[in-house]
Amino acid sequence: MRILITNDDGYQAKGIKVLADIMKQFGEVTVIAPKTHQSGMSMAVSLGFKQIAHKDLGEGWHYVDATPASCVKFGLNTIFDGNYPDVVVSGINHGSNASTASCYSGTLGAAMEGALNGIPAIGVSLDTLHPDADFSAVAERFGEIFTMLMQNWPSKHGLYYNVNFPYIP
């Protein structure tokens, strides 16, 4: 399985590193994340007169100086070159993406971009803004949730899941 991982907290955030480690058990992981923090960007795309900067960090890790949705677009059109990944997983977001927050979330905007391209997509969040948060509950449980979702994915295109973890030990 080929997996595209992104987030809205930037490529150096702890959550994306934990997510990449979790997802390695399921296949080949490629990380394409924003260079800087991009919360609240929803599905905004980076357009303008300035070329989007990309840096290959090695070992399947990349950053793009762009929004989360633009990172997915860039990945699909450049890194994956039209040979799309099997799934897009966005997160682990530092902060809840429940209720109205889901409308503005860059994490979910990236998942929506994958879904719009016919790719199963999942946004993952942990309800804390602490930069050094304890992601052990997500690390312990998300693999099982991912397996269940992928085994039961609806045949309709354009769908994505939003998985939120409470911040409890």
Side-chain angles (χ1 to χ4, degrees):
M1 176 179 291
R2 292 176 317 124
I3 304 161
L4 169 56
I5 293 178
T6 193
N7 71 355
D8 72 357
D9 293 318
Y11 76 99
Q12 294 179 319
K14 182 177 179 182
I16 199 168
K17 294 172 185 172
V18 172
L19 182 59
D21 286 342
I22 294 168
M23 297 308 297
K24 285 177 186 174
Q25 67 183 302
F26 297 103
E28 178 186 335
V29 170
T30 301
V31 176
I32 306 171
K35 180 179 180 183
T36 60
H37 193 264
Q38 297 282 327
S39 288
M41 296 303 286
S42 188
M43 282 192 72
V45 291
S46 302
L47 302 172
F49 299 106
K50 179 177 103 170
Q51 184 176 8
I52 294 176
H54 161 253
K55 183 167 185 175
D56 184 340
L57 301 167
E59 298 183 23
W61 281 74
H62 306 259
Y63 77 62
V64 180
D65 194 6
T67 66
S70 293
C71 288
V72 173
K73 281 183 173 296
F74 178 86
L76 298 181
N77 295 323
T78 306
I79 306 299
F80 288 94
D81 195 21
N83 188 14
Y84 289 172
D86 300 300
V87 64
V88 172
V89 186
S90 184
I92 301 167
N93 186 65
H94 293 250
S96 174
N97 276 319
S99 188
T100 57
S102 65
C103 299
Y104 303 102
S105 167
T107 299
L108 296 181
M112 286 186 259
E113 185 62 42
L116 283 177
N117 284 279
I119 303 166
I122 303 168
V124 185
S125 302
L126 179 65
D127 190 13
T128 180
L129 296 174
H130 195 282
D132 194 34
D134 177 2
F135 288 91
S136 60
V138 183
E140 182 180 332
R141 301 278 183 208
F142 184 67
E144 183 180 334
I145 293 169
F146 176 79
T147 299
M148 183 206 54
L149 291 175
M150 294 305 290
Q151 288 175 346
N152 296 290
W153 203 273
S155 59
K156 278 182 112 173
H157 287 283
L159 300 176
Y160 69 95
Y161 284 97
N162 177 13
V163 178
N164 282 273
F165 285 85
Y167 193 54
I168 54 176

